[in-house]
Amino acid sequence: MSGLSVFGTWVRRGAVTAAAVMLAGVVLAPSAQASVSQGGIYGSGVVTDDWGDEGPLSTTSNSHNIVVGLWQSVLIADGYLPGGGADCYFGANTKAATIRWQEDRNLGADGIVGPLTFGRADNNLYWVGSEIRYDGSDLNLYNMHRTSSGRWYADGGGSTVYFSYTSTDGCP
């Protein structure tokens, strides 16, 4: 299977190389509101509507955190950023890749990752047992999960990493 673990292992046509996609963090306790106000990514029910209330991520808003690393992993999986391009910073390269990703999906190409952009990306999420995967154009993302309270995390390498808007722990 071709894929990218959100913990940083690429698998493409049988070859394995390291990628800079180590994601870590702590998520704040959930509140009644969604997305940034909760401190991290949460969902319930089907996974294809979990990201539609997330963001914004941009060069000026929530620009350095674990959720940016997750978004960069989506861009890598879809072929818009090179492998090793995830650094948890939403800079010029991530903005340009986001604009191309949005253009190719007929979204408002403003380089800001908000509910419409995240909502389009989550259409590619699917379950494999208790694991959530992202079906990318070039690679699949894997090792993602939800707790019983809906909190998103990655599991791998003996660590649990929560997708957080408030933490950069573990970012390269």
Side-chain angles (χ1 to χ4, degrees), residues 11 31 51 72-73 77 87 104 114 119 138 145:
V11 181
S31 67
W51 295 354
Q72 290 171 326
S73 295
D87 60 6
D104 288 349
D138 288 359
H145 305 272

Side-chain angles (χ1 to χ4, degrees), residues 13 80 82 106 112 125 131 154 170:
R13 294 183 196 92
Y80 292 88
N106 298 314
I112 298 170
L125 296 172
E131 178 184 14

